[in-house]
């Protein structure tokens, strides 16, 4: 059964949690005895037979049932005891950098947001693991590309090792368009109406305005969801952030079309101005449940609307991939936010570490990510499983999202994200056009 209590804890949050994986299968691996290094590791750290594996854990929730499930599965298969090394999310980047710069041999495995892994990985702190990972055939293309280094970024220009996998994906996140079936029906639309283009959605918003003051909401004031909203819409519109030479390029049609769509929602009164304020934007999901027709938001809200209680006895919500501009073509389903596991170059238990990675990326453990934690897996074959078909809403939509998901990987990521978010907040407040906003972002990005 789905753990609804767990989902209630996760609902509406940008929770980053993990336990890591480790381990390797096949021949030629190290661990033949103390001091041996026959596994083809890029960092010649003497290896020992592991009796425990130390795994860093974001947000200090190693007791989380999904993470504990990874740990239990690892210990059952290997006989090695996993040990959580808890690090608060706010301290992660500085704390992990200090540990690696000091060449500490523990933690053996680090649980990291992708951008942190890239920042630390450019200095050669993590091991190449593809020779030991057995699950990659089932990963999404996005996951493989995001974990294959060196990346085509200036920061990787002096990457010290050969190309390969230097991370394994733990989970990703999804994003799309929710629709309130009762409001749609009251406005004269089909209960299963799912707009595929910006114009189809605008037409529907005109229609639902006759029955609700909140035609569409989106939690833009929550910084993480606001940034994800922009990234995902740009992906859906076929836009980009940097050109092929890694120069800022925010004036392309896809980027401008995505901003224009989002700004129009507020300028034309389809979305209440409050979605961009801290007071009202934080409660966008509650507004949607009460009387809004549509909501643009992440999948963290998905399980909130299941017809599984007396309070919600019927199927009230549809979920679909977000719309695209007319003529956008076959664009990605959205932009990936990836959490990864990385093996320390200084670990003495690299074989055990890659065994853990294989277990976490297995079909069964990725199913647990979805059913227990509400996290989106990194392999779409999870949605073919009978239990998932029975328990998870919108399995076909979610499988499509994973198969078509893209990812923006670009220089100065944290700085550029803040520039985009600040510029969009200013545009909402001052009524700026999409072109003016894009030019504002372009100018600031060129100065970084």
């Amino acid at each position: 059964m789905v753990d609804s209590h767990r989902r209630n804890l996760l609902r509406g949050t940008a929770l980053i949690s993990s336990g890591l994986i480790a381990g390797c299968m096949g021949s030629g691996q190290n661990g033949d005895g103390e001091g041996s290094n026959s596994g083809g590791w890029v960092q010649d750290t003497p290896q020992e037979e592991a009796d425990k594996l130390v795994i860093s854990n974001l947000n200090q929730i190693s007791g989380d049932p999904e993470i504990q499930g990874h740990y239990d599965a690892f210990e059952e298969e290997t006989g090695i005891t996993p040990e959580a090394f808890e690090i608060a999310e706010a301290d992660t980047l500085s704390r992990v950098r200090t540990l690696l710069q000091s060449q500490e041999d523990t933690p053996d495995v680090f649980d990291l947001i992708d951008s942190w892994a890239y920042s630390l990985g450019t200095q050669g702190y993590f091991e190449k693991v593809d020779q030991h990972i057995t699950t990659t055939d089932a990963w999404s293309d996005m996951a493989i590309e995001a974990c294959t280094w060196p990346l085509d970024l200036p920061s990787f220009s002096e990457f010290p090792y050969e190309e390969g996998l230097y991370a394994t994906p733990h989970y990703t996140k999804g994003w799309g368009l929710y629709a309130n079936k009762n409001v749609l029906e009251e406005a004269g639309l089909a209960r299963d109406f799912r707009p595929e283009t910006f114009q189809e959605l605008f037409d529907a918003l005109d229609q639902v305005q006759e029955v609700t003051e909140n035609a569409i909401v989106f939690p833009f004031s929550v910084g993480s969801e606001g940034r994800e909203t922009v990234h995902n819409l740009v992906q859906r519109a076929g836009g980009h952030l940097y050109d092929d030479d890694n120069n800022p390029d925010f004036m392309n049609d896809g980027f401008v079309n995505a901003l224009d769509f989002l700004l129009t929602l507020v300028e034309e009164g389809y979305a209440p101005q409050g979605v961009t304020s801290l007071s009202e934007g934080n409660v966008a999901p509650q507004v949607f449940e009460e009387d809004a027709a549509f909501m643009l938001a992440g999948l963290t809200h998905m399980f909130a609307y299941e017809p599984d209680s007396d309070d919600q006895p019927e199927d009230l919500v549809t979920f679909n991939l977000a719309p695209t501009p007319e003529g956008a073509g076959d664009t990605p389903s959205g932009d990936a936010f990836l959490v990864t596991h990385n093996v320390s170059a200084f670990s003495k238990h690299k074989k055990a570490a890659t065994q853990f990675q294989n277990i976490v990326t297995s079909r069964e453990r990725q199913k647990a990510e979805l059913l227990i934690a509400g996290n989106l897996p990194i392999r779409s074959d999870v949605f073919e499983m009978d239990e998932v078909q029975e328990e998870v809403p919108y399995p076909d939509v979610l499988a499509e999202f994973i198969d078509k998901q893209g990812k923006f990987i670009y220089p100065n990521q944290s700085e550029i994200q803040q520039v985009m978010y600040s510029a969009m907040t200013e545009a909402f407040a001052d009524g700026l056009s999409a072109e003016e906003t894009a030019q504002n972002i372009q100018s600031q990005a060129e100065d970084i």
Side-chain angles (χ1 to χ4, degrees):
M1 291 295 293
V2 175
D3 186 338
S4 59
H5 174 67
R6 164 66 176 151
R7 288 179 177 166
N8 288 337
L9 294 176
L10 286 175
R11 188 174 301 160
T13 66
L15 186 63
I16 300 172
S17 59
S18 325
L20 296 196
I21 357 182
C24 40
M25 313 285 182
S27 61
Q29 299 171 14
N30 65 324
D32 298 326
E34 185 171 351
S36 68
N37 189 25
S38 59
W41 307 113
V42 296
Q43 178 73 29
D44 189 14
T45 302
Q47 295 293 288
E48 300 174 352
E49 196 69 33
D51 58 356
K52 72 175 181 179
L53 186 74
V54 181
I55 305 161
S56 82
N57 185 268
L58 289 175
N59 283 337
Q60 300 173 314
I61 54 172
S62 57
D64 178 279
E66 160 257 345
I67 293 173
Q68 189 59 52
H70 294 334
Y71 288 1
D72 291 345
F74 170 70
E75 186 166 17
E76 181 178 354
E77 181 167 320
T78 66
I80 300 169
T81 301
E83 180 178 298
F85 187 98
E86 296 179 338
I87 303 175
E89 182 182 342
D91 302 329
T92 298
L93 191 57
S94 61
R95 182 80 184 281
V96 173
R97 180 179 286 115
T98 298
L99 289 166
L100 292 170
Q101 286 175 339
S102 302
Q103 299 189 18
E104 297 288 340
D105 57 14
T106 57
D108 300 285
V109 182
F110 288 96
D111 182 18
L112 298 169
I113 298 171
D114 48 34
S115 59
W116 297 346
Y118 300 155
S119 176
L120 296 164
T122 58
Q123 301 173 61
Y125 288 139
F126 300 127
E127 268 296 346
K128 181 175 179 289
V129 298
D130 49 311
Q131 69 272 35
H132 303 292
I133 301 301
T134 63
T135 60
T136 52
D137 286 349
W139 298 3
S140 69
D141 291 342
M142 175 280 298
I144 293 174
E145 292 171 5
C147 292
T148 301
W149 303 354
L151 297 166
D152 183 21
L153 293 174
S155 57
F156 277 89
S157 60
E158 297 182 2
F159 187 67
Y161 304 138
E162 66 180 10
E163 183 178 70
L165 292 178
Y166 289 85
T168 56
H170 184 184
Y171 65 86
T172 183
K173 294 172 66 176
W175 184 90
L177 182 69
Y178 297 81
N180 187 317
K181 292 183 176 183
N182 286 352
V183 177
L184 297 184
E185 185 175 38
E186 186 178 356
L189 293 165
R191 287 180 65 84
D192 60 352
F193 173 72
R194 294 180 175 184
E196 295 185 0
T197 66
F198 287 174
Q199 190 57 54
E200 285 181 3
L201 180 57
F202 286 140
D203 292 343
L205 293 172
D206 286 333
Q207 195 163 335
V208 300
Q209 277 187 317
E210 299 176 5
V211 299
T212 179
E213 295 181 356
N214 299 310
I216 188 169
V217 293
F218 52 94
F220 192 85
S221 68
V222 182
S224 59
E225 294 209 52
R227 291 187 289 271
E228 289 169 19
T229 299
V230 175
H231 276 77
N232 277 280
L233 281 172
V234 173
Q235 287 275 18
R236 295 293 288 147
H240 57 268
L241 311 181
Y242 278 68
D243 62 23
D244 292 340
D245 295 320
N246 283 309
N247 297 312
D249 181 18
F250 295 90
M251 299 303 297
N252 60 88
D253 289 345
F255 188 83
V256 173
N257 285 340
L259 297 197
D260 183 67
F261 169 74
L262 199 58
L263 293 171
T264 299
L265 295 180
V266 174
E267 291 169 359
E268 297 298 321
Y270 296 125
Q273 187 75 35
V275 298
T276 65
S277 73
L278 287 176
S279 58
E280 294 184 49
N282 282 330
V283 297
Q286 289 89 330
V287 174
F288 172 69
E289 290 182 47
E290 291 171 5
D291 71 343
F294 298 99
M295 179 173 69
L296 288 166
L299 290 182
T300 48
H301 308 287
M302 177 177 65
F303 294 112
Y305 311 115
E306 291 176 285
D308 60 359
S309 68
D310 292 339
D311 294 333
Q312 189 164 295
E314 60 177 325
D315 184 12
L316 297 179
V317 175
T318 64
F319 177 82
N320 194 32
L321 302 183
T324 63
E326 295 281 358
D330 187 22
T331 60
S333 56
D335 188 66
F337 173 98
L338 199 64
V339 176
T340 67
H341 291 145
N342 301 78
V343 177
S344 169
F346 312 110
S347 167
K348 296 178 181 179
H349 308 125
K350 294 175 184 178
K351 177 179 178 179
T354 54
Q355 286 173 317
F356 182 63
Q357 287 174 304
N358 278 317
I359 288 169
V360 173
T361 51
S362 69
R363 196 182 191 199
E364 194 65 28
R365 295 315 306 162
Q366 285 293 297
K367 180 186 73 173
E369 286 283 355
L370 181 65
L371 295 184
I372 297 175
N375 294 330
L376 201 61
I378 47 80
R379 44 189 298 169
S380 61
D381 60 353
V382 169
F383 293 97
E384 300 169 5
M385 303 173 79
D386 291 341
E387 186 178 359
V388 173
Q389 288 281 327
E390 294 169 0
E391 298 284 354
V392 175
Y394 332 115
D396 294 341
V397 175
L398 297 180
E400 181 183 4
F401 190 95
I402 294 171
D403 284 337
K404 296 179 62 179
Q405 194 175 32
K407 181 166 182 58
F408 287 131
I409 301 175
Y410 53 94
N412 306 311
Q413 185 166 331
S414 60
E415 295 94 334
I416 296 298
Q417 285 182 354
Q418 187 56 49
V419 165
M420 288 193 291
Y421 186 69
S422 298
M424 287 297 297
T425 301
E426 179 184 355
F428 284 126
D430 297 341
L432 302 180
S433 70
E435 290 79 5
E436 291 172 318
T437 306
Q439 184 59 64
N440 186 10
I441 296 170
Q442 179 74 29
S443 298
Q444 294 185 63
E446 290 174 351
D447 290 338
I448 294 177

